[in-house]
Amino acid sequence: MVSYTIGRSAPDVHAKWGCLQRISPGGDLSPTLLHVTPWGELRIRLHEGSHGCGERAGHGMWIAVGKGKGGAGCTTAVLELAYAAARRRRGRRPRRVGVIDLDPQGNATDVLEPESRSLGIKDVLNPHSPLSLRDVLVPASWERILVAPADRFLANREVDITARGITALRRARLSGEIDDLVDDVIIDLPRDVGKLAATGLLGAETLFIAAQATMWGAQGAEEMRYTAERISAKGNPDLRIAGFIISAYDDARDSKRVLNEMKENFGEKVILPPIPRRVRVREAIESYHTPCREYGGEDLVEVSDIYQSVYDRSQEARENLK
Ligand SMILES: Nc1ncnc2c1ncn2[C@@H]1O[C@H](COP(=O)(O)OP(=O)(O)OP(=O)(O)O)[C@@H](O)[C@H]1O
Ligand SMILES: [Mg+2]
């Protein structure tokens, strides 16, 4: 089955419905499902091989952001990349983004203020739950973003996750289960390397590793690279480390030295320029749940611009791979 967006407003739906009927005068396209998505779009399912005139939502990027040490700017990167993807810009179609929060701290969930928290990612990973990823994605307060919420129970349930749970996101990506709901998926990985992190690393195709330019930050980044390479070799050959995002970078001599060491170790994968340390990033995101650009001020627009270019470059790289 394939899924088509056929429109948001009634006239739009009628015009496109008419177009579908013309393509298939006898009605042999056999629409089997007509429903309203969380985005308020009407969708129809047609048999594979049909050529509708609606837009087919493509399989976009499945990006994970991870770290080897806490406080690395991982959640901030997830949120700013999601905002960059979904942002309305001249000449570009804003993307619809699904944020999957695999961190039991639920920081990304808190910031995105989901419409409901009654279901979450724990219900997808639970071996006794019939729910799939699309059942737990709910609209966030940020435009064009859906979130699969995390809560503290995710930590308690980690021991119960079975092999089927660990591969849940991978299956969702490969089956195209949410391709009609979102263009890109961005996953916030937990710090601990356990079943939750493995679930995200098996699901993603693109990995960013967030780190601060400190000795322990660099060690954490190296550990995450090692973990990702092992997971990639064992069960996810699609996984590619797209880059190391250095966050909250200041001009201290030690930061410069560590950044240079990271460049020697990780080469061109170190994303330049690093994200500068700007105290109001915390105020915007943590306290006011607002993307940097919308919170305003030159300092935050500068930060937002860098995340935007990270997103744009990885989208271009993805297009070139196709
Ligand atoms: N560019 C920046 N300048 C200043 N502070 C920043 C910057 N980026 C992130 N921060 C702050 O650094 C702290 C850690 O960031 P964040 O929560 O994104 O990291 P994390 O790796 O997700 O942490 P955790 O291990 O708790 O999940 C937060 O208080 C955040 O607001
Ligand atoms: Mg975090």
Side-chain angles (χ1 to χ4, degrees), residues 214-285:
T214 62
M215 281 306 287
W216 293 344
Q219 283 168 9
E222 176 59 40
E223 278 161 28
M224 189 52 175
R225 171 168 78 166
Y226 176 72
T227 305
E229 283 172 357
R230 288 197 56 194
I231 296 245
S232 169
K234 280 183 186 289
N236 184 7
D238 307 328
L239 188 67
R240 184 182 65 87
I241 297 176
F244 293 79
I245 300 177
I246 313 301
S247 30
Y249 181 74
D250 56 39
D251 275 336
R253 200 176 53 182
D254 189 56
S255 309
K256 286 183 185 159
R257 183 181 62 77
V258 175
L259 179 62
N260 283 333
E261 280 182 16
M262 290 173 91
K263 283 197 251 178
E264 273 174 32
N265 193 26
F266 303 129
E268 289 183 354
K269 297 265 176 183
V270 174
I271 293 172
L272 297 174
I275 313 287
R277 179 180 295 278
R278 298 288 180 253
V279 286
R280 290 195 323 124
V281 169
R282 189 177 66 214
E283 182 180 319
I285 293 190

Side-chain angles (χ1 to χ4, degrees), residues 67 74-75 103 105 107 188:
K67 71 244 163 168
C74 180
T75 301
D103 187 343
Q105 296 183 98
N107 294 153
D188 193 3

